Every structure is written in structure tokens, then in C-alpha cells.
Amino acid sequence: MNDLKFALRQLRKSPGFTAIAIITLALGIGANTAIFSVINAVLLRPLPYPQSERLVLIRERTNIFDSGSVSLSNYLDWRASQRGFTDLALFRRDDANLSGASGDVEAERVGLARVTYNFLSVLGMPSELGRDFRESDDVPHGKKVVLISDGLWKRRFGGSRDVIGQSITLDGVQREIIGVLPSNVQLARKAQVYIPLEDLRADKDYLDRRNHPGFSALGRLKPNVTLAQATADLNNIAAELERRYPDSNTGRRVTALILLDSGVKDYKRGVTLLLAAVGFVLLIACANVANMQLARALGRERELAVRAALGASRGQIAKQVFIESAILAVFGSIVGVLLALWGLDAIKAIAPGSSASFAPSDAARFQEANLDLKVLAFTAVVAVGAGLLVGIWPALRVSRAASLTLSLHEGGRGTNGSARLQRVRSGLVVAQVALALLLLLGAELTLKSFRNAQNAPLGFNPENILVAEVLLPKARYDTDEKIARFNDQLIERIRSLPGVESAALGLNIPFDNNEWDSPFHLSGTPPGSPGERPEAEINHVTPDYFRVMGMPVLRGSAFTEDDRADRPRSVIIDETFAQKYFPGKDPIGQQIDDNQSDQKNPPPLTIVGVVPRTRNEAPGEDNVEQYHWPQMTFAADQVPNRSNMLLVRVKSGNPLALVPAIKRELQGLDPDQAFAGISTMESNIAKSLGSRRMMTSLLSEFAVIALVLASVGLYGVMALTVTQRTRELGVRLALGAQRADIFRLVLSQGMLLVLAGLTVGLLGAIGAGRGLQSVLYGVGGFDLPALSSALFALAAVALIACWLPARRATRVDPIEALRAE
């Protein structure tokens, strides 16, 4: 306690040193705390289900992609034959229009989950109120029932327990509410209503093994069964299905991941990289404070020597110095936690938004980051580590017996300027400069990568386009004619609105979080082997789609009003398709087999136009863009769909200003139609770059912190060197040295340290670039312009840090310096 009180008094006597040391450590500890809280929320926190580590997400894979949706028929065979899981369930995330049973409540769009009756039992979550699905609920033409989420129950029914037995209308179908789910059921994300597969089990389109309509399978591992064993078992079943159904199942196998891992895999590399970056910041901060603490302790060497002469042991002296470092670490961690609270708010503000994917644990987990006990325990460990890094070397150095004895023998001169100590302090500066260079290079590379992704060609003009979802219920729009009539009337109404330039409907449009691909075959060519047929992305659009998107027709023509259901079916391909499959010839008039028709042996599709390739998702991410599939676009009236995206190009101004008018027109056609998913094309593109933007912003901020800390450390060492060499510099001036010579001498000494740090940093940059390669887009791990920029920035700041002490050295008065000695 006496040592603690003495250490506090000593720190209080040097408020400038204490404040700088605490703030420096707080920056390093606070950054680590904030990033670890994100890692804890995104990667480490378990899902809120019983034994969630045994829940497995199962998808299909081929030789083209690793994670594709599951065929309903394949799932049924898996479930009947598998031995590694207690059970398998199937689920899919959809949307639905919700209205009251009597139609007296305004319709709204809600997230809907299509699930097998055993879904909640596999998840291990019984209903909070009412009952779960039964097998008798999940049959074709059975009773229409629904489970609702806790949030919808409280918002729409006031949390009343009388909700059981009431009815709601989903997509025009009245359903009885049989249960309320617990609030922590998050699979599928954003789902507010859950319904069984029921009629889909008898739908020939869904039973077609070639159809993979967005389903994922969920399994719970049996006790003592590993993920590898269960996956191998499913792959054996998949191999047997390949033998039995070669046309649809050749090359199809299974991808199985623990449920939590499946949701966070897209963010694991990024947040791990951020943790490494803040680790560098902490090391730079610790080196900085260690240098300051060593210089301060050496300034007290005579005092410590006297204490030793009066009987203090080396351990007591080392403990006294170390306690001061520990106090700095404690206060640094307290301030760091406060900085982390502020930093978390900033991280959440720039974190990628929640997506509508199948993943139960996606980007929304960023918003769940907080300072819980696990994070605070991590902060305590970091604080202890920082205290050790800051305090051990100064404590051991000043407590050396030889140093203490020499300090007494040399009177007041001390040992501050010994070559060994100077090398230690210089080594710490070299390490700071090297680490700062690595962070600056990482920031430059990710910034350049983000710019490349942001400026990647889109193939269309996203400005002034409003986007919204339109979903027609099957109960009311049960024929192609009804769908086409509604679509025509809706577009005609919106076109007539003031300020609207053009309007269209599209399915699988760019940046809509959907993906639809299909194999194809060029008419008149040999059929491809099963599993080896080429794939293309599929779009369905109305005639004005290309005008709305600002896309020119490179060859041929766009769709017209004549492309109706009763006319020969046409297709428009993109330039990638034309270049790859029709090299050196005109693709207009060429034909492709029609695999989108329900007819038996339908006539082939005729290519009527070629348009630019569009980018449909963020570049450089783990999505279908990596496959570079060509694109095929169909006329919406010839292949009608109930789910579409409405696109409206306005003449000027904010497209969102038209939302009230468009909503009136939509509900004027059908009062039960909900207007949802409203955004602009530009905002959708920006959201797709959310994770890349967050990583770039944070790495840039950490690089700036590292640059400031490294420059402060360099300045501190050079300033201390000038102070220690005052007598030497005075003698040089007295013997005729010019002040310019003194300036060059001190400046060159500092820049030599910088040069050494840059050299070490360059060696580390090779490995750092390779580590970053997996998260970069359009830039190599060793990019000379980025490296040059980082070197220039660090060298410029370091020059200023060295210039100030060198300039002060030229002001040494030789008479005063010699008189003081």
C-alpha cells in the first residue's frame, strides 16, 4: 500500500507524462476492446438455441459452387436415409402480404418462413404460446395454419393470449394462428410468420429434382456424431442419388456447416484482420509508453541508487517502478473502456446492415455488440499484458546493481546516455515505425480495393431509380392472364404519374439480394454431359426495363408489347454470352432450348437482342459474381411471376418522394397489396459494399492512430537524445561547429531510425499483403503505388517528428551547456 501511495504521488507530480501515457494506452486498449466486442458478438456468442453447437446448416454443392439451395426431393431422400442427425428440417425465407381476416387492417409486407412441420423440434424451441406444427398440418390441401413471431404478436395483437385461434390473411389465404414463437427464434432472419410446406409437397415444379428454389436444410447432430461423420453419410446418399438420377444429380454433393459458422463465415476474415490491426496499435502504444517510462525511470536513477544504498533491494526498486506502470495500465484501461463505448457506436453506424439471406446469424449481429463480462475480462487481460509490456523492461533496467552503483559514482551525471540504453530506445522506435508502416499499407490496400469495388462497371445507370417489391398472392392471381393484367395496369398507372420517366418490373434484378441461375443448351448443338452443362443467370423483365436501367441495346432490339404469352418466346442475352457462345457471328436469330416452359418439348427461344453485362452483386465478395455467369433475360409476360421488383426512373429529384403516389396507385388496383422493400438503386449498391466500407474505415482510423503514436514516440526519443547530448552539442558548437551541422547531425540520427523501421516494415509488408489478398478486390497484395503512398506518409510525419528536436538542438547555448556541466 505504501508503494502504491508513493507511485500515485510520483505520477501526480508529472501530470503531463501521466496524461500522455494514460491516453496512449487508452487508445490501444480501447481499440482492442471495441473490436473484441464485435468479434464476441459476431463470431463467439452462441446462437440462442439449446445445444446450438450441434445445429448444422446443409446446402448442396456442385463443381461450380459450394453452397446452393436444396431440392425438395433430395431433402426427402436425405431425411429418409441419413443416420447422423436426430432429424432434418427444411426451410426457406419468403415474403407475404399480411392483412386482417376481415380486411379492415391495412396490408403490410412481412417476412415469411416456409418450413417443414419438424422445424421447431430440430431447432429445439417449443412455442411460447399455443402449439407447434403437427405432421397433419404439413400435407397438401390440409388445414391452413400459421405460427407468428413474438414481435408480430405484441405489435399486431397487443400480446394478448387470446390470439390463439384468431385468423390472419396471408397472400389472400386465411390462416388460423396456432402458436407464438419465442422472441429468440431468429431463423429464418426477419421471419414474422411461419407456415408449413403443405401444398408445395404436391407441386410438380417443386418436386422436380432440377429445381432448387431457395431451400436450406437444418439438422441436429446425434450425440457422439461429428460433423465430418454426418457430412460423409449425406455425401454417400448424394452419390447414390447421382447414380439413380444422373440427369439432375450428377456432381451434386453436400456442404454442411455448424449453423453459427454458416452465418458468420463472410465476416470472419474481416473482423480477424481488424483484431490483428488493433493488436499492432496496442504494441505501438506499449512501446511508446515503455520508452517514456524508461526515460523517466532513468532520470530518477540517482534517487533509486540512494534508496539502494540505504538498504532497498533490487526487487523493491523494480517493484516500485513496475507499480507505476501498472497504475498507468489500470487507468488506461478505464479510459479505454470509455473510448470503446464511443467506438462501438461508431462501428455500429458503419457496420453492414442486416440482409435477408437464409443465414440466421449475419450482419445484424454487428448491432448486438456490447461490453459484456466476457469483453471486460478480455479488457482486463489486455490491461495486464500492457502493464507487463510497459513496465517490466524499465523496472529490470533501473534496478540493475551495476547501474545503481555507477549512478552514485558518477555524481549527478547518471547513466542516461549509455549506448546500450540508447539502442533499446532506438529499437522500440524502429518497431513502432515498422508496425505503423504495416497498418498504413493495410489501410492503403483496403482503401484502393474499396475504390475499385465502388467504381467497378455496373452496365447500367443507377441514378434516379426507385426500387420496391411487388408480391401477388397465388390465391387471387392464380393464372398467367391475371398476373399479366395486373402488371400492365400497374405500370400504366405509374407511368402516368408526374415526374416519372419510365417504369418496369423485373425479377432477379441487380442488387436485390436474390439469385436465379439455370443451365441452358444451344439448340442444334450436342447435349452437354449431366452436371457439366453451362449455367446462366436468369432475369424476367417487362419491355421498358432496359430504358429504366439506362442500358443500351447493343444489337437487335428490346422486348416490345408484342412479346406476349401467345407469341413465340424470345430471349435477350448479354455481351458476355454473345462473345463466349457466338464468337465471330451475329447471335440475333440464334436459338436456345426453352427450359423455362411447362410445355412438353416447347419450341426453342429466339435471341432478339444483346445488351451490356450488368453487375448484380458487390464485386470481390463471396457471391455469384465470382462465377462470371452469362445472363439471359426473358419477357415477363411470356414467363409470368407473382414476385417482382418495381423499378421507377424519375426525371429529377429524390425518387423516394414518389412513394406515397405509387402506393396509392398500387392499392388502388388491389387494397391488399403491401408496398415494401422501398429503396433506391444507389442505396442498394451502397449497402452491398457495407462490410468492405466498414473494414476500410476502421483500418484507416487505426492506421492514423498508429501513425500519430509512432511519430510521438520518435519525437520523444529524439527530444530526450537532444537533452542528454546538451553538453556534447555545446562542446561541438564551442569548437566551431556550425548550427547547420548540428541540425544535420540530429536529423540524420532520427531519420536513420526511421529508415531502419521502414526497412523492417517493408519485409513485413510482403507477408501482410499476402494475408490481405483474400479480402482485396482489383489490387495485389504487394501494390507499389499503395506501398509508396504509405512510405511517403510515414516518412513525412517522421521527418517532422525529427525536425523539431533537431531545430531545438541548434539553439543550444554552448556557454550555458558547459557552465551546467
Side-chain angles (χ1 to χ4, degrees):
M1 185 58 67
N2 288 333
D3 288 338
L4 181 61
K5 291 178 180 177
F6 181 77
L8 288 171
R9 285 200 304 270
Q10 289 294 108
L11 292 175
R12 193 163 53 242
K13 289 179 181 178
S14 305
F17 161 81
T18 303
I20 292 175
I22 289 175
I23 291 173
T24 300
L25 288 175
L27 288 172
I29 295 173
N32 276 268
T33 299
I35 294 302
F36 181 77
S37 67
V38 172
I39 288 179
N40 180 48
V42 176
L43 304 183
L44 304 180
R45 187 175 296 162
L47 295 174
Y49 313 123
Q51 296 181 309
S52 61
E53 72 281 359
R54 305 197 67 79
L55 289 173
V56 178
L57 184 80
I58 304 164
R59 307 271 286 173
E60 291 194 40
R61 64 178 170 87
T62 69
N63 57 351
I64 299 177
F65 49 86
D66 292 331
S67 180
S69 61
V70 177
S71 160
L72 174 57
S73 292
N74 287 345
Y75 155 77
L76 294 174
D77 287 331
W78 294 352
R79 183 170 184 247
S81 304
Q82 64 85 23
R83 297 169 296 175
F85 300 92
T86 59
D87 202 356
L88 291 182
L90 199 67
F91 69 97
R92 184 179 74 180
R93 166 73 163 79
D94 282 321
D95 289 296
N97 292 324
L98 168 65
S99 59
S102 60
D104 56 349
V105 180
E106 183 177 337
E108 63 175 302
R109 182 71 56 82
V110 295
L112 176 144
R114 280 270 192 180
V115 301
T116 50
Y117 71 91
N118 60 340
F119 176 74
L120 286 183
S121 64
V122 172
L123 202 59
M125 298 296 292
S127 297
E128 178 180 349
L129 186 67
R131 67 172 178 88
D132 190 1
F133 292 128
R134 298 169 182 156
E135 188 170 2
S136 58
D137 296 322
D138 195 10
V139 294
H141 315 299
K143 183 178 180 181
K144 303 302 181 184
V145 295
V146 62
L147 293 171
I148 64 174
S149 69
D150 178 83
L152 182 64
W153 174 46
K154 292 176 180 176
R155 176 172 58 84
R156 191 110 178 191
F157 299 95
S160 171
R161 301 183 68 86
D162 295 334
V163 69
I164 304 301
Q166 294 189 37
S167 295
I168 57 174
T169 302
L170 287 174
D171 286 341
V173 176
Q174 187 170 313
R175 293 180 175 272
E176 179 187 345
I177 300 173
I178 61 171
V180 177
L181 297 181
S183 59
N184 53 357
V185 172
Q186 301 174 352
L187 187 69
R189 181 167 288 281
K190 290 188 175 181
Q192 299 177 66
V193 291
Y194 292 71
I195 63 175
L197 296 190
E198 48 187 41
D199 293 348
L200 298 187
R201 290 179 178 270
D203 190 315
K204 61 182 180 65
D205 289 334
Y206 280 86
L207 291 174
D208 187 339
R209 291 182 187 272
R210 295 171 300 177
N211 188 12
H212 295 77
F215 283 120
S216 297
L218 178 71
R220 181 175 286 276
L221 289 170
K222 289 181 178 178
N224 302 319
V225 174
T226 67
L227 177 63
Q229 291 170 336
T231 304
D233 179 52
L234 286 179
N235 276 322
N236 289 335
I237 299 171
E240 174 60 20
L241 293 178
E242 177 182 30
R243 187 189 67 79
R244 291 164 55 190
Y245 310 105
D247 188 56
S248 60
N249 282 57
T250 295
R252 288 199 168 268
R253 292 297 184 267
V254 168
T255 293
L257 290 173
I258 297 300
L259 188 58
L260 176 59
D261 293 341
S262 71
V264 302
K265 60 184 176 65
D266 292 340
Y267 306 102
K268 184 176 292 187
R269 289 178 301 185
V271 294
T272 304
L273 175 64
L274 290 176
L275 185 62
V278 293
F280 283 0
V281 172
L282 181 62
L283 289 176
I284 294 172
C286 289
N288 217 335
V289 177
N291 237 335
M292 295 165 58
Q293 184 75 331
L294 181 59
R296 185 169 179 273
L298 291 174
R300 297 168 52 200
E301 228 173 14
R302 181 166 174 76
E303 169 211 328
L304 298 175
V306 171
R307 292 161 70 90
L310 293 176
S313 67
R314 287 185 59 198
Q316 289 175 318
I317 292 173
K319 181 177 66 172
Q320 182 62 61
V321 176
F322 182 74
I323 285 176
E324 292 184 15
S325 300
I327 291 173
L328 293 174
V330 169
F331 281 104
S333 63
I334 293 173
V335 178
V337 168
L338 297 177
L339 291 177
L341 287 171
W342 171 81
L344 270 181
D345 291 337
I347 291 173
K348 291 177 181 179
I350 62 174
S354 176
S355 71
S357 68
F358 66 84
S361 180
D362 56 13
R365 284 171 70 94
F366 280 97
Q367 306 303 323
E368 299 169 6
N370 56 29
L371 301 186
D372 58 16
L373 290 178
K374 184 184 293 186
V375 174
L376 293 178
F378 171 82
T379 304
V381 171
V382 170
V384 171
L388 291 173
L389 289 173
V390 167
I392 282 184
W393 172 250
L396 294 177
R397 178 60 190 85
V398 299
S399 64
R400 291 176 63 240
S403 175
L404 295 171
T405 302
L406 183 60
S407 182
L408 284 176
H409 288 170
E410 291 193 353
R413 187 175 298 176
T415 60
N416 295 6
S418 71
R420 183 179 179 185
L421 287 178
Q422 189 62 36
R423 286 196 298 271
V424 171
R425 293 198 293 270
S426 299
L428 290 174
V429 170
V430 169
Q432 290 182 71
V433 172
L435 291 174
L437 177 62
L438 293 180
L439 275 178
L440 281 172
L441 177 61
E444 285 286 344
L445 290 174
T446 53
L447 180 60
K448 189 171 183 178
S449 173
F450 176 71
R451 288 173 178 166
N452 289 342
Q454 195 173 35
N455 297 323
L458 297 172
F460 64 94
N461 179 11
E463 298 176 359
N464 299 330
I465 296 179
L466 176 74
V467 181
E469 300 174 15
V470 176
L471 179 62
L472 302 179
K474 184 177 181 180
R476 186 173 301 171
Y477 300 90
D478 54 352
T479 64
D480 291 348
E481 291 76 14
K482 291 180 181 179
I483 297 172
R485 187 181 310 116
F486 178 91
N487 290 343
D488 290 344
Q489 292 175 344
L490 176 63
I491 291 175
E492 189 61 35
R493 281 173 172 249
I494 293 175
R495 274 186 193 148
S496 64
L497 292 174
V500 171
E501 182 177 315
S502 54
L505 292 169
L507 179 62
N508 194 33
I509 66 169
F511 300 95
D512 66 348
N513 286 327
N514 290 314
E515 187 276 318
W516 184 1
D517 64 273
S518 175
F520 65 90
H521 174 247
L522 302 181
S523 300
T525 64
S529 302
E532 300 294 333
R533 294 165 184 158
E535 298 269 339
E537 283 198 79
I538 304 299
N539 311 79
H540 293 179
V541 303
T542 55
D544 262 0
Y545 172 80
F546 301 110
R547 182 183 173 195
V548 172
M549 297 291 282
M551 295 171 59
V553 177
L554 303 178
R555 295 183 188 176
S557 63
F559 296 126
T560 68
E561 301 296 337
D562 292 332
D563 290 297
R564 315 294 295 183
D566 56 348
R567 302 294 299 274
R569 293 170 67 164
S570 306
V571 65
I572 293 175
I573 62 175
D574 73 335
E575 53 189 334
T576 302
F577 196 116
Q579 293 166 2
K580 185 172 183 178
Y581 295 100
F582 303 104
K585 59 182 178 182
D586 188 357
I588 305 302
Q590 302 290 334
Q591 293 185 323
I592 303 173
D593 289 353
D594 186 358
N595 62 1
Q596 304 294 310
S597 174
D598 293 332
Q599 300 178 27
K600 186 176 182 180
N601 299 320
L605 304 161
T606 301
I607 299 174
V608 297
V610 178
V611 294
R613 176 179 179 80
T614 62
R615 184 173 296 283
N616 290 349
E617 295 183 276
E621 304 289 344
D622 187 14
N623 53 42
V624 296
E625 284 293 326
Q626 63 184 308
Y627 304 125
H628 305 290
W629 284 330
Q631 296 164 355
M632 298 169 58
T633 303
F634 295 84
D637 286 340
Q638 293 184 332
V639 191
N641 283 277
R642 296 180 186 85
S643 176
N644 286 290
M645 300 297 290
L646 173 66
L647 300 102
V648 182
R649 177 175 287 278
V650 300
K651 295 176 181 177
S652 62
N654 183 2
L656 295 176
L658 276 175
V659 169
I662 295 175
K663 184 176 180 180
R664 284 195 301 269
E665 298 298 331
L666 178 67
Q667 295 187 336
L669 278 174
D670 185 345
D672 288 334
Q673 281 298 306
F675 201 46
I678 304 166
S679 62
T680 65
M681 183 64 73
E682 289 178 302
S683 67
N684 286 351
I685 295 171
K687 288 176 184 176
S688 72
L689 297 170
S691 59
R692 193 178 292 277
R693 180 184 295 105
M694 182 191 73
M695 189 171 70
T696 300
S697 300
L698 292 179
L699 271 181
S700 299
E701 291 168 8
F702 297 149
V704 170
I705 294 173
L707 182 61
V708 171
L709 292 178
S711 61
V712 169
L714 179 60
Y715 170 81
V717 167
M718 295 309 301
L720 180 62
T721 300
V722 170
T723 301
Q724 292 172 346
R725 298 177 64 185
T726 298
R727 179 174 179 272
E728 173 202 336
L729 298 176
V731 171
R732 287 176 179 270
L733 289 170
L735 292 177
Q738 300 298 312
R739 296 189 181 274
D741 297 328
I742 299 298
F743 180 85
R744 284 193 296 271
L745 176 68
V746 177
L747 184 64
S748 62
Q749 181 182 359
M751 293 310 292
L752 280 175
L753 295 179
V754 174
L755 181 60
L758 295 179
T759 302
V760 175
L762 281 173
L763 296 177
I766 298 174
R770 290 175 180 173
L772 282 170
Q773 190 63 58
S774 61
V775 297
L776 298 177
Y777 171 73
V779 56
F782 194 82
D783 185 79
L784 189 57
L787 180 59
S788 301
S789 178
L791 286 171
F792 176 79
L794 186 54
V797 173
L799 179 62
I800 296 173
C802 294
W803 181 82
L804 292 174
R807 185 167 175 268
R808 196 179 77 179
T810 63
R811 297 178 179 177
V812 171
D813 187 339
I815 303 299
E816 292 297 327
L818 293 176
R819 181 180 297 148
E821 288 293 328

